[in-house]
Amino acid sequence: MNKKGAIVMLGQIDVKKTMEKSEYDQAMEKLEVRFGELQRACKEKKIPIMVVMEGLDAAGKGTLINRMIQSLDPRGFKVFTVGKEKEEEAMRPYFWRFFTKTPERGRMHIFDQSWYKGLYEKSISEKEVLDFEEMLTEDGTLIIKFFLVISKEEQKKRIEKLEKNQETKWRVTEKDKENNKNYDKCLKKYDTMLVHTDTANASWTVVEATDKLYATCKIITTMVERMERAVKEVEKRTELQAKTGAKKEIKEDSNTDRFRNGVLQGVDLSKEMDRETYKKKKKELQKRLNSLHNKMYLKRVPVILAFEGWDAGGKGGAIKRLTQALDPRGYEVVPVAGPNDIEKAHHYLWRFWEKIPKAGHMTIFDRTWYGRVLVERIEGFAREDEWKRAYNEINNMEEQFTNAGCIVLKFWLHIDKDEQERRFHEREVTPEKQWKITDEDWRNRAKWDEYEKAVDEMIVRTSTEDAPWIVVEANSKYYARIKVLETVVEALEKRFK
């Protein structure tokens, strides 16, 4: 039983449903016009749409996608055919190739097979699929999923027809024939998959695909109904917001501060390191890191290093001492600023999935996806419901990284308020450092207490065994740089043991 209480039994569906040509023409005359109107309406309302076309072998996915898009403006959609993983895809977490193909707001992406291929083959879990779809639908993406069904006899007939034609026989594989022989077993497996992934926000529509006219009409009718509903929901939400005006800021009870997890307040910032000790340790650690970087490539181990911290906390200096030991062909440093227009048009995690390293490489993020629960939370760039659900979304994303064999280390470079002020003034009077200080830095400093509270919550809620937060005592730059180097070296050496 699925989350809506419905049960899908593919074996009980009447796959022989048909439609007369005259009835089809009459229905499609109105449907095609409305379908085109709704494509434009979804573009105007900035609703991203993902259409998933799954089904039995030879059920006609490609043909029905082709018929469906005839009514649409080709500038507003894109079709992706999902086959065997390419080398570039196989070297990254499974959902990389799908997250990077999620549409901009207002566009439609159609998938001829999808992430469900991995679920059917058991290379991913139901939880990963449900987390992926929930994250997108909560952000406003409309996901419409179709599953095409034909009988065993019809499937065999279509396979034989494809095989006899010189132009199409390449499409038939031994696996297709084997699946036809094991039709009932495959059907049962698909049935279980559909039942467990049929949710209120991303429901399945089973399409009886023997008759192409009937199947086309059912698919477009479903598309029209779902798109109409999505447009009305956006209009209703917009109207409600216009009536109520800007949301009032919710002030949390000040008494809750007594009971919050004060992670940062317990950090000993008196830790220091003299220059000679620093130089000696740095040389030895960089030598070990260089060797480990080579081994990382040979063993195909991907590494993600995420750096957050107070302004002037020393992220750049720590990153520089790391990269001095690395082969530049095997790493990338990604500086993260505010999202540009293209990035804003996607889910907030999209731009980070784009930069996930392939196996054997390292990506170092200078600022990260945690901006959603820090600056976007404090400055009001994300609604309360958006940043609150981000903790779970981020944990799920990082779990996918580590499940794929990636080492994930997250550093918070911590300094006190007096040290930050000293560094700000030093930057202002040092010509080669003046570019590092802006009015925004001073403005953020005024909200120190709010940021500290947000950081405490972030660390408590997203530090996991496989993707831990490492709080770095950074009042002493030498001590901080060595701690970062030691942590990375130890994590790599532990993996290679």
Side-chain angles (χ1 to χ4, degrees):
M1 186 169 291
N2 65 16
K3 292 183 180 179
K4 297 189 300 179
I7 292 180
V8 181
M9 295 299 289
L10 296 177
Q12 297 179 8
I13 289 174
D14 178 11
V15 296
K16 297 181 180 179
K17 289 183 179 179
T18 62
M19 177 177 274
E20 294 295 329
K21 182 68 164 58
S22 57
E23 184 186 2
Y24 170 82
D25 290 339
Q26 186 178 356
M28 290 298 291
E29 187 177 355
K30 294 180 180 178
L31 278 173
E32 287 181 331
V33 173
R34 185 60 182 146
F35 196 18
E37 290 173 346
L38 285 165
Q39 184 194 20
R40 293 187 289 275
C42 286
K43 180 181 179 182
E44 181 188 340
K45 305 294 181 186
K46 299 189 182 305
I47 301 171
I49 303 171
M50 294 175 75
V51 182
V52 172
M53 195 70 74
E54 293 283 355
L56 299 175
D57 298 327
K61 293 182 286 292
T63 300
L64 291 169
I65 288 173
N66 189 48
R67 292 194 176 196
M68 180 181 74
I69 62 178
Q70 297 304 312
S71 312
L72 301 175
D73 182 340
R75 296 169 295 181
F77 69 82
K78 190 170 184 178
V79 178
F80 296 94
T81 302
V82 177
K84 186 179 179 181
E85 280 185 317
K86 298 174 184 174
E87 183 182 1
E88 190 78 3
E89 295 166 341
M91 294 178 76
R92 288 184 169 86
Y94 180 82
F95 274 97
W96 176 80
R97 64 168 167 162
F98 298 108
F99 213 116
T100 54
K101 293 180 178 65
T102 52
E104 296 177 27
R105 303 189 194 284
R107 286 184 58 83
M108 180 188 296
H109 284 183
I110 304 163
F111 293 85
D112 179 358
Q113 293 197 301
S114 64
W115 44 96
Y116 281 95
K117 184 179 177 66
L119 182 57
Y120 183 81
E121 295 172 352
K122 297 190 180 298
S123 56
I124 56 170
S125 67
E126 288 173 3
K127 179 184 180 300
E128 288 175 297
V129 169
L130 294 172
D131 287 343
F132 176 65
E133 293 180 356
E134 182 182 13
M135 176 178 55
L136 292 171
T137 56
E138 287 286 341
D139 193 56
T141 299
L142 174 60
I143 298 179
I144 307 174
K145 303 185 296 193
F146 296 102
F147 191 87
L148 311 184
V149 187
I150 53 177
S151 68
K152 183 177 182 178
E153 296 72 27
E154 178 68 19
Q155 186 183 54
K156 184 180 180 181
K157 186 172 75 174
R158 291 186 183 185
I159 289 173
E160 289 175 348
K161 184 179 179 181
L162 287 169
E163 203 169 25
K164 286 177 183 177
N165 190 322
Q166 290 297 318
E167 294 181 1
T168 59
K169 67 186 231 177
W170 61 271
R171 290 166 54 185
V172 178
T173 65
E174 290 302 317
K175 187 69 175 174
D176 295 332
K177 297 177 186 178
E178 184 184 336
N179 287 344
N180 181 248
K181 289 178 182 177
N182 299 312
Y183 179 89
D184 292 337
K185 185 179 178 181
C186 291
L187 207 65
K188 185 177 180 181
K189 196 173 174 182
Y190 278 124
D191 196 67
T192 301
M193 183 182 80
L194 265 61
V195 168
H196 291 175
T197 58
D198 187 45
T199 62
N201 289 335
S203 59
W204 282 103
T205 297
V206 177
V207 179
E208 303 85 340
T210 304
D211 181 83
K212 290 184 174 62
L213 298 182
Y214 177 87
T216 302
C217 199
K218 182 169 184 175
I219 287 169
I220 296 180
T221 298
T222 304
M223 290 288 295
V224 166
E225 289 173 354
R226 294 290 306 279
M227 290 165 73
E228 279 182 337
R229 195 189 314 161
V231 169
K232 286 177 182 176
E233 286 173 359
V234 170
E235 289 175 343
K236 186 177 179 181
R237 190 162 57 245
T238 304
E239 186 180 339
L240 184 64
Q241 288 173 353
K243 284 181 180 179
T244 57
K247 289 186 179 179
K248 292 182 180 179
E249 186 176 343
I250 300 174
K251 293 185 178 179
E252 298 181 46
D253 188 344
S254 60
N255 289 329
T256 61
D257 284 348
R258 288 182 59 194
F259 306 108
R260 92 168 194 251
N261 302 107
V263 177
L264 298 183
Q265 291 178 359
V267 177
D268 180 8
L269 290 174
S270 66
K271 294 180 179 179
E272 295 183 355
M273 183 174 289
D274 62 78
R275 182 173 175 80
E276 289 306 311
T277 304
Y278 164 72
K279 288 172 69 176
K280 182 179 178 181
K281 282 182 173 286
K282 184 183 77 165
K283 184 177 180 180
E284 184 243 329
L285 287 165
Q286 286 182 337
K287 184 178 179 181
R288 285 160 66 187
L289 182 57
N290 179 265
S291 175
L292 289 164
H293 192 220
N294 291 329
K295 191 176 288 189
M296 197 182 96
Y297 180 79
L298 292 172
K299 299 283 186 182
R300 288 287 186 257
V301 175
V303 176
I304 294 173
L305 304 180
F307 283 83
E308 291 284 357
W310 297 108
D311 293 329
K315 294 182 296 297
I319 291 170
K320 184 177 180 180
R321 273 66 188 182
L322 277 170
T323 57
Q324 284 173 345
L326 305 176
D327 184 329
R329 295 168 296 181
Y331 75 87
E332 179 183 9
V333 177
V334 180
V336 176
N340 59 36
D341 289 343
I342 294 174
E343 292 164 344
K344 285 178 182 177
H346 288 86
H347 190 280
Y348 75 98
L349 291 176
W350 174 82
R351 60 174 172 154
F352 302 106
W353 273 96
E354 286 267 303
K355 296 295 184 179
I356 295 308
K358 62 184 178 181
H361 289 68
M362 179 185 290
T363 299
I364 303 170
F365 289 94
D366 181 357
R367 300 286 189 197
T368 69
W369 41 94
Y370 284 97
R372 170 65 45 132
V373 296
L374 294 176
V375 65
E376 291 183 42
R377 167 185 175 173
I378 302 301
E379 303 300 334
F381 298 138
R383 300 190 311 269
E384 186 177 8
D385 62 300
E386 289 176 326
W387 65 257
K388 279 188 171 179
R389 69 170 181 260
Y391 298 114
N392 187 52
E393 293 171 345
I394 288 169
N395 284 337
N396 289 335
M397 178 181 73
E398 291 174 356
E399 184 180 14
Q400 289 184 41
F401 297 163
T402 57
N403 284 348
C406 189
I407 293 175
V408 178
L409 299 173
K410 303 175 300 196
F411 296 96
W412 175 265
L413 272 67
H414 189 48
I415 57 176
D416 61 34
K417 209 169 180 180
D418 291 339
E419 177 63 18
Q420 185 188 61
E421 184 176 22
R422 188 191 69 76
R423 293 184 185 183
F424 277 9
H425 286 306
E426 181 187 9
R427 288 179 175 185
E428 286 182 326
V429 299
T430 307
E432 64 269 24
K433 291 185 178 181
Q434 286 173 350
W435 63 273
K436 290 185 175 183
I437 186 74
T438 66
D439 291 340
E440 188 176 348
D441 294 327
W442 287 105
R443 188 175 61 80
N444 290 344
R445 178 178 162 78
K447 297 183 179 181
W448 180 283
D449 292 343
E450 291 178 68
Y451 274 100
E452 185 177 63
K453 183 178 178 181
V455 173
D456 279 338
E457 186 172 3
M458 172 191 79
I459 292 173
V460 169
R461 298 187 65 175
T462 62
S463 191
T464 62
E465 184 178 358
D466 292 328
W469 275 105
I470 299 97
V471 178
V472 179
E473 303 86 342
N475 268 14
S476 165
K477 291 182 179 181
Y478 292 157
Y479 180 88
R481 292 166 185 172
I482 294 303
K483 181 168 180 176
V484 170
L485 277 166
E486 284 179 337
T487 304
V488 176
V489 166
E490 287 169 6
L492 285 166
E493 287 180 341
K494 182 180 177 181
R495 168 63 64 87
F496 296 134
K497 282 180 181 177

